[in-house]
Amino acid sequence: MCPIRRTAIAMALTVLLGAHSVARAAADPDTRAAVIVRQMTPAERLALLHGIMAIPFVGHVTIPPDAVYGAGYVPGIPRLGIPALKESDASLGVAYVNGLRKDGATALPSGMAMAASWDPQLLYAGGAMIAGEAAAKGFNVLLAGGSNLMRDPRNGRTFEYLGEDPWLTGTLAGAAVSGIQSQHVISTLKHFALNDQETDRHSYSADISDSAARESDLLAFEIALERGHAGAVMCAYNRVNGAYACGNGYLLDRVLKRDWGFRGWVMSDWGAVSALDFALAGLDQESGAQLDRQVFFGEPLARAAQQDPVYAARVADMDRRILRSIFAVGLDTHPAVVHPIDFAADGAVAERLERAGIVLLRNRDRALPLSDSLERVAVIGGYADAGVLSGGGSSQVQGPGGPSIVVPLGGGARFAPAIEYQRSVPLQAIEARLPRAQVVFRDGRYVSQAVQAARWADVAIVFATQWMSEGHDVPDLSLPDGQDALIAAVAAANPHTIVVLETGGPVLMPWLQQTAAVLEAWYPGARGADAISAVLFGDQNPSGRLPVTFPLSLAQLPRPMLPGSGGMGPQYSDRGSPGQTLHVDYDIEGADVGYRWFARTHQQPLFAFGYGLSYTRFETHDLKVTADRALSATCEVVNTGSRAGADVVQLYLVSAAGHPERRLVGYQRVQLQPGQSQRISLTVDPRLIAEFRDGAWRVAPGHYRWALGTSALDTGAPVDTVLGPRQIRP
Ligand code: BGC
């Protein structure tokens, strides 16, 4: 039925039955939203357009009795059956808002860890799990779906995101959002867009051409939106090509709403609104409004709407968009009901993700898995006797009982004043696996003491950490607190040194060649220790693949120096100098983010995107790529080793229309028994091989080359396909 006719019928029914019941009876969310908007009084029309940060002591606000302490609250309109929006941060679990709520939540492993699983189904399960916990606490909107690409591994929020590739990030973020919304909880996608560093995050300008943005960071959001149908998009703090992301007509109106047809609403990041006319650029809702200079989308917007039909039309559109998502996701029909949480079941979801996301980076002479018959083991460093590391900032989750240890930072850290560890203890998990062995722990503060233990032990396991947080970037990629020297000394003392990394993202490894094995465990989440020990002892065959490239040195990056880091201001700075805009030139690498930059500049990184070892062996062969309107590929993957395990089949474009290229165009995780083989079919999204020029995707005719890879930079024999003019249309 055409939309106009539907609306007419709904309006007629409204007259007969009253707005509220018709809105529920009407079939689709667009019609229902349109009907309700017509019923709203001028005051009601303003109600949904600005919210508070639901935390006492932040600004001058009264927290309404029905609010839940969390990132945001927007009052409902009971007369019209519209529920209040109760918003929580949720990148990696339901956030704990500086300890205001003591109810505990299950911490998922970090975004990097989840992305390293290359498994959309697991991300869906993780999303559904968080949404279930959120609803159990009374929330119905989750500020999740972080989809920014890693343009700089020093970005303090790297751990919240899903990597450096638009297809991997987009498909995984879409799955996570679908999982959240399956529980009748709205999810955002954030931070839109090009919000790729924390230094000066409130003011820097990401400068980039339209085509480069569309083929990289924006493409990740576009894919995530198509797959996950997020009810809301959160615009970012930074500027893009000079204009604030939350007041950026190009980003919000043109790309998101016009070109992609987004029908939900755009909410601001907290404290990101600095002018009323952001409404005209496409911003629909001012979040945490007490953080802004004034509540622009309150009285000032009401006055503007009275005087100016353009503003009045926008107000109706803003309401319609918010209501549409409320109805589409079913917030009104499936209200959140507070109930107890099954932490054991939810912890199992977190553990499954971490098991799948741990990446085996090095395994000299099959040093791993460890044998059950070890007699003397030295566990060193990383607070492995107390817990596993978590990242800081608004995404911080605290499990039931709170963190196991808290390490205060000092130095003016605003966002996250302390480093927190989850209650999942690697030392205990290792001891449980070796009941007859002697296991000693050394905290690693004194290298000589760690070395002494390493000399004594059959195996030394060093836990090394790199803490990251929202609000500040790391200055470089070394392991802090002298851990590089500690690892080198321990490895020199014992050739069977295993390093377990708990890092936010890539780090440098000057000691790599001295070690026997290295596991990247990221921030391991609520049951991280169990997952790590399962991989160490071979109960779990490692199957994670890097979602980001680890450089050999900072000199290999497009910007060897972190933009904005040159001054001598405060140690932790997310705010630049007043009145000055830091311009970050993203056109240096353009769309060639991460591994594509390394391929373009012919540099060999430490570990490339897609890399990861296993305790078994896989072979892929018989790649065929066909172009018959759609582009599809098939290949065979075989487990030729002696253990069951999962491989991730990765298909890359290696040249396009005669030009060298490097793009992930398809992937699939496959679980195989020893000797088992499976035929894989992948459909290639044409945008992944296209260029975005003059407002449209174009696939140039010519020879295209494809190859399967064990990483983006280690690909096998290529196969060719010839694409005729307009044969493949994005
Ligand atoms: C962060 C967002 C978060 C919001 C609400 C901001 O500082 O950038 O990711 O959702 O705070 O806590």
Side-chain angles (χ1 to χ4, degrees):
M1 199 189 296
C2 82
I4 296 171
R5 198 168 142 68
R6 263 197 316 242
T7 308
I9 291 171
M11 281 172 65
L13 284 170
T14 306
V15 177
L16 285 173
L17 301 171
H20 187 174
S21 51
V22 170
R24 285 204 171 175
D28 71 285
D30 294 291
T31 308
R32 293 179 62 194
V35 169
I36 294 288
V37 169
R38 286 197 186 89
Q39 303 302 314
M40 289 168 126
T41 64
E44 286 167 347
R45 285 196 175 194
L46 263 291
L48 298 178
L49 308 186
H50 56 92
I52 56 165
M53 188 161 203
I55 300 184
F57 325 120
V58 177
H60 302 286
V61 283
T62 312
I63 309 293
D66 68 323
V68 188
Y69 286 153
Y73 173 87
V74 179
I77 308 171
R79 180 180 82 85
L80 299 172
I82 308 305
L85 301 179
K86 300 177 186 177
E87 303 169 338
S88 171
D89 274 301
S91 290
L92 309 170
V94 183
Y96 84 119
V97 286
N98 294 318
L100 276 174
R101 287 194 336 269
K102 308 251 179 261
D103 47 2
T106 302
L108 287 170
S110 62
M112 283 283 123
M114 295 195 278
S117 74
W118 294 55
D119 189 341
Q121 286 175 4
L122 278 181
L123 274 277
Y124 181 98
M129 185 278 279
I130 320 177
E133 291 200 357
K137 296 168 191 294
F139 292 111
N140 56 11
V141 178
L142 287 186
L143 313 176
S147 300
N148 298 96
L149 295 189
M150 190 189 80
R151 278 182 184 263
D152 197 310
R154 292 161 293 197
N155 178 7
R157 300 189 86 167
T158 300
F159 71 96
E160 290 185 53
Y161 299 134
L162 299 168
E164 64 189 22
D165 178 79
W167 181 243
L168 185 65
T169 292
T171 49
L172 295 181
V177 167
S178 299
I180 292 172
Q181 296 196 158
S182 72
Q183 303 302 303
H184 305 291
V185 170
I186 289 174
S187 177
T188 59
L189 280 178
K190 69 184 187 182
H191 308 86
F192 193 66
L194 294 140
N195 182 206
D196 300 336
Q197 69 171 56
E198 289 295 279
T199 305
D200 286 12
R201 70 169 174 166
H202 290 277
S203 54
Y204 82 85
S205 175
D207 294 344
I208 188 166
S209 72
D210 179 43
S211 53
R214 301 268 195 160
E215 293 170 21
S216 57
D217 299 51
L218 295 184
L219 183 54
F221 277 95
E222 186 177 7
I223 293 164
L225 207 53
E226 290 164 359
R227 296 190 156 228
H229 305 287
V233 167
M234 186 194 295
C235 50
Y237 284 130
N238 55 287
R239 302 173 210 236
V240 174
N241 294 324
Y244 279 110
C246 287
N248 194 312
Y250 158 78
L251 276 183
L252 305 185
D253 244 355
R254 188 171 129 202
V255 175
L256 179 64
K257 292 183 175 174
R258 197 192 73 188
D259 293 357
W260 299 349
F262 175 59
R263 289 188 285 170
W265 89 93
V266 179
M267 67 166 77
S268 72
D269 201 338
W270 272 234
V273 183
S274 52
L276 174 63
D277 64 7
F278 281 19
L280 300 183
L283 180 66
D284 299 307
Q285 190 183 55
E286 183 178 6
S287 314
Q290 76 262 41
L291 301 177
D292 292 326
R293 219 167 356 104
Q294 57 172 303
V295 183
F296 293 101
F297 286 15
E299 270 308 304
L301 184 57
R303 276 196 304 276
Q306 271 165 11
Q307 291 157 8
D308 183 341
V310 178
Y311 272 99
R314 268 302 284 138
V315 166
D317 181 47
M318 291 151 118
D319 280 315
R320 196 180 45 72
R321 287 172 169 278
I322 297 169
L323 292 169
R324 190 217 180 253
S325 290
I326 290 176
F327 298 146
V329 181
L331 266 55
D332 58 331
T333 47
H334 298 77
V337 177
V338 176
H339 64 270
I341 290 171
D342 182 349
F343 286 112
D346 291 356
V349 176
E351 184 178 336
R352 261 197 288 149
L353 273 153
E354 174 65 1
R355 277 176 176 244
I358 291 176
V359 185
L360 178 62
L361 293 175
R362 174 176 170 83
N363 199 14
R364 191 188 63 204
D365 302 330
R366 298 193 187 174
L368 290 178
L370 296 174
S371 147
D372 288 346
S373 58
L374 286 172
E375 288 173 3
R376 298 199 289 204
V377 175
V379 176
I380 297 165
Y383 293 97
D385 61 330
V388 291
L389 186 58
S390 57
S394 60
S395 68
Q396 179 81 57
V397 177
Q398 284 192 352
S404 61
I405 45 169
V406 175
V407 185
L409 274 176
R414 270 183 349 115
F415 243 90
I419 302 174
E420 299 191 3
Y421 285 74
Q422 304 285 350
R423 287 172 188 261
S424 178
V425 184
L427 181 62
Q428 281 171 7
I430 291 168
E431 283 170 342
R433 211 52 188 63
L434 296 171
R436 284 180 298 282
Q438 261 183 287
V439 182
V440 302
F441 177 73
R442 296 291 178 263
D443 62 19
R445 285 191 306 128
Y446 286 92
V447 172
S448 62
Q449 204 179 41
V451 163
Q452 193 186 20
R455 283 212 186 99
W456 161 87
D458 303 329
V459 167
I461 309 174
V462 186
F463 284 80
T465 59
Q466 176 221 37
W467 181 72
M468 285 187 145
S469 168
E470 177 180 346
H472 30 91
D473 298 322
V474 292
D476 60 47
L477 298 179
S478 60
L479 291 171
D481 302 322
Q483 294 176 95
D484 284 325
L486 173 71
I487 296 170
V490 168
N494 188 331
H496 303 293
T497 293
I498 316 291
V499 178
V500 179
L501 293 166
E502 294 175 22
T503 68
V507 287
L508 308 182
M509 301 181 203
W511 33 260
L512 182 68
Q513 298 305 325
Q514 293 167 255
T515 61
V518 180
L519 283 184
E520 175 56 88
W522 317 101
Y523 298 155
R527 292 258 205 103
D530 297 326
I532 291 168
S533 110
V535 171
L536 284 175
F537 290 96
D539 309 330
Q540 170 75 43
N541 194 344
S543 56
R545 303 288 185 265
L546 293 179
V548 286
T549 299
F550 282 42
L552 259 178
S553 72
L554 293 177
Q556 290 187 318
L557 301 175
R559 283 164 293 281
M561 180 156 158
L562 180 71
S565 66
M568 290 308 295
Q571 182 177 349
Y572 300 110
S573 174
D574 58 349
R575 290 179 193 272
S577 315
Q580 281 177 22
T581 304
L582 172 71
H583 286 271
V584 184
D585 182 4
Y586 283 163
D587 278 325
I588 295 175
E589 74 277 30
D592 289 328
V593 179
Y595 65 89
R596 288 174 55 170
W597 168 256
F598 282 82
R600 181 170 113 192
T601 54
H602 307 288
Q603 301 184 90
Q604 199 54 44
L606 182 59
F607 296 112
F609 173 88
Y611 174 83
L613 303 173
S614 167
Y615 297 154
T616 188
R617 283 185 312 277
F618 298 99
E619 277 172 24
T620 42
H621 50 83
D622 198 21
L623 171 64
K624 294 197 173 68
V625 181
T626 53
D628 177 18
R629 266 189 280 180
L631 258 177
S632 38
T634 60
C635 71
E636 188 92 3
V637 53
V638 195
N639 181 347
T640 57
S642 54
R643 279 172 183 264
D647 191 19
V648 177
V649 174
Q650 304 166 40
L651 179 65
Y652 292 93
L653 173 71
V654 295
S655 87
H659 299 289
E661 270 291 350
R662 193 61 51 145
R663 301 190 193 180
L664 177 75
V665 295
Y667 70 89
Q668 191 174 320
R669 187 182 162 93
V670 214
Q671 177 73 34
L672 294 173
Q673 295 301 316
Q676 194 187 354
S677 66
Q678 194 176 318
R679 188 121 204 117
I680 303 295
S681 302
L682 300 167
T683 304
V684 177
D685 186 315
R687 287 169 297 189
L688 301 176
I689 66 162
E691 290 183 323
F692 193 89
R693 294 282 175 273
D694 306 323
W697 292 102
R698 288 171 216 282
V699 175
H703 279 81
Y704 283 72
R705 246 179 188 189
W706 323 87
L708 296 165
T710 52
S711 82
L713 301 181
D714 186 8
T715 47
V719 304
D720 284 15
T721 316
V722 179
L723 300 182
R726 288 184 292 283
Q727 186 177 353
I728 298 295
R729 290 168 193 252

